[in-house]
């Protein structure tokens, strides 16, 4: 086993976790099998009771999935990763592994809408109490703590306003009260940000987004120490929100180009954000790479780039925002993000449409807000496309 600490991220993204069979294949193999044979009844018994290593059943052990987990863990600087069927199932697995009835969670009020729904509707149904705090106000997190607080859940940068939270400061508060800190690292990926090195205990990914990078498959992962990941793995083994081997193979291919893609996403997003700031129809632009962003200085220290998400408010509310969305001919009208193809959406009526108007207002998601996941097309072409609705 190679010492991954000696390799740079660009190398880890291509080489970490590579498994070769006796055939010596150069590219990663795809193990499309539901189960694995054993040589004897004794070997089966030893594998099922974890006395010897080995693959048993692809719900919880598969070589292709293991290769993806190993590579992602190496990129995050973690001991282990557990892959799941989607980003939301990763959050579910984390909660089921580390929460029980009577526990309390402090979460960012800038979370993705489906995450809020999971917490408020399903975790709450099983007796888990949820409180929300502004991601940019560490004091609010400290004030929200209760004697039964077990988990802080943070997404930074936030979706869709790209608010940047001080991971180290919030981690210190969580640990002072005996709680774990989990960080959703979907927007930055480990190429731009490594939350574990800043004090987080667990990292969550929707691999569907930038880790794949081409909008092909669903996937998710929880990353962290072996001790904290073991109960996540045991939940996966029992409940089965598993990543398919085919999706794992696609994600492995996506990771190979992740470093170069993320740098290109950042470059394009900055150009687009700078242009949007100059448009009279635009009220405000949200992008951590801009000096006008409230947490620009923090983002410069904590991240290796501004990321690929740009949000902006247009004057005229929902009517004006929908006019911009409807006018584009190049940018895709879809809620997915992290693709080489740029996408555009109106968060208040789509990704955050299921949460209450009060919750949207508290999160700063107004009717004039538009979110763009900036892809890898030519920036001038993207600008020209947006001009159609801003003219």
């Amino acid at each position: 086993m190679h010492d991954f600490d000696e390799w740079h991220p660009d190398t880890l993204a291509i080489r970490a976790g590579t498994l070769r069979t006796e055939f010596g294949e150069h590219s990663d193999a795809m193990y499309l099998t539901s189960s694995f044979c054993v040589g004897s009844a004794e070997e089966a018994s030893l594998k099922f009771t974890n006395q010897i290593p080995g693959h048993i059943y692809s719900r919880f052990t598969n070589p292709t999935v293991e290769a993806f987990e190993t590579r992602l863990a190496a990129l995050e600087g973690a001991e282990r990763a557990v892959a799941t069927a989607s980003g939301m199932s990763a959050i579910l697995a984390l909660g089921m592994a580390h929460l029980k009835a009577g526990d309390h969670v402090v979460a960012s009020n800038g979370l993705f809408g489906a995450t809020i729904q999971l917490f408020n509707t399903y975790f709450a149904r099983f007796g888990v109490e949820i409180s929300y705090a502004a991601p940019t106000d560490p004091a609010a997190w400290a004030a929200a703590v209760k004697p039964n607080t077990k988990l802080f859940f943070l997404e930074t940068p936030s979706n869709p306003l790209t608010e940047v939270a001080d991971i180290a400061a919030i981690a210190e508060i969580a640990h002072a009260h005996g709680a774990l800190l989990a960080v959703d690292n979907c927007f930055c990926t480990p190429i731009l940000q490594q939350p574990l090195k800043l004090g987080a205990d667990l990292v969550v990914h929707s691999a569907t987004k930038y880790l794949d990078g081409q909008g092909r498959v669903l996937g998710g992962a929880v990353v962290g120490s072996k001790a904290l990941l073991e109960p996540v793995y045991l939940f996966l083994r029992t409940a089965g929100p598993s990543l398919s081997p085919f999706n794992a193979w696609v994600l492995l291919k996506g990771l190979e180009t992740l470093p170069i893609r993320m740098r290109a996403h950042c470059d394009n997003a900055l150009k687009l954000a700078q242009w949007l700031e100059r448009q009279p129809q635009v009220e405000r632009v949200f992008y951590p790479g801009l000096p006008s962003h409230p947490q620009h200085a923090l983002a410069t220290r904590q991240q290796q780039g501004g990321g690929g998400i740009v949000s902006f408010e247009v004057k005229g509310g929902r009517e004006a925002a929908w006019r911009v969305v409807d006018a584009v001919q190049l940018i895709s009208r879809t809620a997915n993000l992290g693709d080489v193809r740029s996408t555009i959406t109106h968060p208040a009526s789509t990704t955050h449409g299921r949460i209450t108007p009060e919750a949207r207002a508290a999160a700063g998601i107004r009717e004039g807000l538009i979110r763009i996941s900036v892809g890898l097309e030519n920036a001038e072409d993207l600008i020209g496309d947006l001009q159609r609705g801003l003219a």
Side-chain angles (χ1 to χ4, degrees):
M1 181 66 69
H2 196 282
D3 184 357
F4 292 149
D5 292 338
E6 297 178 2
W7 285 349
H8 293 83
D10 302 63
T11 303
L12 292 172
I14 296 170
R15 294 287 184 172
T18 297
L19 301 171
R20 289 201 177 105
T21 70
E22 67 273 18
F23 299 110
E25 65 277 359
H26 190 222
S27 183
D28 298 283
M30 190 191 309
Y31 292 86
L32 297 181
T33 180
S34 59
S35 65
F36 299 84
C37 296
V38 295
S40 67
E42 181 184 16
E43 181 185 343
S45 175
L46 292 173
K47 284 184 177 179
F48 267 86
T49 54
N50 297 321
Q51 295 181 63
I52 62 172
H55 297 287
I56 301 169
Y57 190 59
S58 284
R59 186 177 71 241
F60 55 97
T61 56
N62 180 278
T64 313
V65 176
E66 180 184 330
F68 168 67
E69 292 171 336
T70 302
R71 189 169 298 174
L72 180 59
L75 284 167
E76 285 285 7
E79 291 180 343
R80 187 179 181 184
V82 172
T84 61
S86 68
M88 291 309 304
S89 63
I91 299 172
L92 172 65
L94 186 156
M96 296 298 286
H98 289 286
L99 297 172
K100 64 182 185 304
D103 286 347
H104 175 244
V105 176
V106 182
S108 167
N109 64 7
L111 293 178
F112 176 54
T115 307
I116 294 174
Q117 286 291 109
L118 177 63
F119 284 168
N120 290 352
T121 304
Y122 296 100
F123 284 178
R125 180 184 297 175
F126 292 99
V128 175
E129 185 183 1
I130 314 294
S131 298
Y132 292 93
T136 59
D137 184 5
W141 292 74
V145 172
K146 298 183 178 183
N148 57 335
T149 301
K150 301 299 181 184
L151 177 70
F152 280 18
F153 193 93
L154 175 65
E155 181 181 325
T156 182
S158 69
N159 183 10
L161 295 180
T162 70
E163 297 172 295
V164 178
D166 190 331
I167 295 174
I170 294 175
E172 186 176 351
I173 296 167
H175 298 157
H177 294 87
L180 298 173
L181 171 61
V183 175
D184 186 326
N185 201 25
C186 174
F187 274 21
C188 278
T189 80
I191 302 304
L192 302 183
Q193 176 175 267
Q194 292 181 312
L196 298 177
K197 293 184 178 179
L198 296 168
D201 301 288
L202 294 160
V203 172
V204 173
H205 280 285
S206 173
T208 311
K209 310 302 191 294
Y210 288 108
L211 301 191
D212 173 20
Q214 297 186 52
R216 298 168 293 192
V217 298
L218 297 180
V222 186
V223 187
S225 68
K226 292 179 181 178
L228 292 177
L229 266 294
E230 183 63 15
V232 177
Y233 165 75
L234 292 175
F235 171 76
L236 184 86
R237 177 171 182 165
T238 301
S242 312
L243 182 66
S244 76
F246 177 80
N247 287 15
W249 184 85
V250 173
L251 294 171
L252 276 168
K253 300 297 101 181
L255 287 180
E256 291 178 350
T257 61
L258 181 61
I260 195 168
R261 283 190 289 106
M262 291 309 298
R263 290 191 283 269
H265 281 298
C266 291
D267 290 345
N268 258 7
L270 181 59
K271 292 175 184 175
L272 189 62
Q274 290 171 334
W275 176 81
L276 284 166
E277 277 203 314
R278 299 192 296 268
Q279 305 313 301
Q281 303 92 333
V282 174
E283 193 167 320
R284 186 178 177 187
V285 180
F286 303 88
Y287 183 65
L290 291 174
S292 60
H293 192 283
Q295 294 88 46
H296 175 69
L298 173 61
T300 301
R301 297 194 308 269
Q302 187 168 276
Q303 301 172 196
Q304 300 301 311
I309 304 298
V310 176
S311 294
F312 62 100
E313 283 186 17
V314 293
K315 299 173 182 176
R318 177 177 288 206
E319 182 180 353
W322 279 19
R323 185 162 57 247
V324 174
V325 173
D326 290 346
V328 299
Q329 297 176 14
L330 170 65
I331 301 172
S332 304
R333 284 181 288 271
T334 179
N336 193 33
L337 60 90
D339 201 316
V340 295
R341 297 169 176 82
S342 296
T343 68
I344 188 170
T345 191
H346 178 250
S349 59
T350 58
T351 57
H352 292 69
R354 291 189 297 163
I355 64 176
T356 66
E358 294 77 16
R360 283 199 300 272
I365 301 170
R366 296 165 57 175
E367 290 294 331
L369 184 70
I370 297 169
R371 188 195 73 193
I372 297 181
S373 172
V374 184
L376 303 187
E377 305 94 342
N378 184 277
E380 294 302 319
D381 292 337
L382 298 175
I383 288 170
D385 201 34
L386 285 173
Q387 279 180 320
R388 305 178 201 277
L390 292 173

